[in-house]
Amino acid sequence: MTVMKPISAQNPKISVVIPTLPSNSHDEVVACLKEQTFDSYEVLVVNDVDLDICEARNSGIKAASGDIVALTDDDCRPDPEWLRNVWDEFDASSNLVCLEGAVHGGRTYNGTRRYVGCNISFNREAALAVGGFNSDYAGWRDDTEFGWRMERDAGGSCRYSQRVKIHHPDLPRAGMNEELEMQLKREYPNRYENILVPDSIIGSINDWLWRHGFWDMIDSIRYNTQK
C-alpha cells in the first residue's frame, strides 16, 4: 500500500485524505490544498491500484494524525477556505461527528443527507469506531452508507454546512449500480424511503429519468457545452 504525504504539519488538527490511482493525477488538488487559509493540516494521498475506494479511504483514516479527517477526491478543487470552515464547524460543536459540505461544478450537491464522499469530514475516532467505509458498497453509495451509519451509530450529530465548499470540475466517474441500490434499500429501509425516495410526482419523474440515464446524458451535453 502506498500512502504519500505531500503536505505535513506537526500535530495537525485536520488530516485530508485523497484516494486515487497511479493512473490519475493528484497534482492539482494538492496544489489547491497548498493555498488553504488554515495552517494546521496534513494531506495523505492513498495511491494503490489494488485497493477499492473504501479500502483506500480507510487506509488514509488509519494513517491520519488529525482528530478530524476531511475527504476529497483527486478530481476536485477545494475552496481556499475549505479547511478553515471545516475546523470552525467542529470547533463550535463538540458533539459534531460528521459534516457534509457543498459541491459545485460537474457535480452539484446541497446537503440532503446523501453524504457525498468528495466533501465529507468527520471525527476520526468515531469513524473508526463504526468500522469506516464498507467495501460491500464500493463504487456506489459507499459514502451515503457511511454517513447513515455515522448518524445511527456514532453517538453524535451529523449536519450540512453551505460554507464548506468543493468544486468538482468534471462529471462523476461512477455510474449507477442497481444491485447496490437495492442492497442499500434493504439495509436502511426507513432512511432510504425518507431521504432517497421522491415525495412528489415531479420528483418521481425526475428520479425515473435519472435512474435510466436521461439526466446523465443531459448533463454531459450541458457540461461539454460549458467547457
Side-chain angles (χ1 to χ4, degrees), residues 11-24:
N11 301 318
K13 293 178 178 177
I14 299 177
S15 297
V16 180
V17 172
I18 304 168
T20 188
L21 295 170
S23 58
N24 294 342

Side-chain angles (χ1 to χ4, degrees), residues 30 55 69 97 118 169:
V30 171
E55 292 169 332
V69 173
V97 293
C118 66

Side-chain angles (χ1 to χ4, degrees), residues 198 200-215:
S200 68
I201 294 175
I202 292 176
S204 296
I205 293 172
N206 281 331
D207 185 69
W208 187 92
L209 291 170
W210 168 71
R211 290 174 186 273
H212 289 80
F214 177 79
W215 290 123

Side-chain angles (χ1 to χ4, degrees), residues 112-113 148 188-199:
T112 50
R113 294 175 65 197
W148 289 358
Y188 300 89
N190 292 332
R191 282 180 170 82
Y192 191 95
E193 179 71 23
N194 294 330
I195 298 169
L196 297 183
V197 175
D199 58 2

Side-chain angles (χ1 to χ4, degrees), residues 34-109:
K34 289 179 178 178
E35 301 301 318
Q36 292 292 298
T37 60
F38 188 73
D39 58 6
S40 182
Y41 70 101
E42 64 179 1
V43 175
L44 295 88
V45 176
V46 184
N47 186 2
D48 194 323
V49 72
D50 294 323
L51 301 181
D52 67 40
I53 191 167
C54 294
E55 292 169 332
R57 286 169 173 163
N58 289 339
S59 296
I61 294 167
K62 291 174 183 176
S65 302
D67 291 334
I68 304 303
V69 173
L71 289 185
T72 192
D73 292 335
D74 57 24
D75 57 351
C76 291
R77 308 292 176 258
D79 184 270
E81 298 287 327
W82 182 51
L83 292 179
R84 165 56 60 192
N85 290 330
V86 167
W87 176 254
D88 286 348
E89 293 286 345
F90 279 93
D91 191 45
S93 176
S94 61
N95 194 45
L96 182 62
V97 293
C98 191
L99 179 70
E100 298 185 275
V103 182
H104 304 289
R107 178 174 193 171
T108 59
Y109 181 73

Side-chain angles (χ1 to χ4, degrees), residues 175-192:
M176 182 175 179
N177 185 313
E178 188 66 33
E179 182 178 349
L180 292 182
E181 185 79 1
M182 292 303 98
Q183 180 176 319
L184 188 74
K185 183 177 181 180
R186 289 191 300 270
E187 189 168 355
Y188 300 89
N190 292 332
R191 282 180 170 82
Y192 191 95

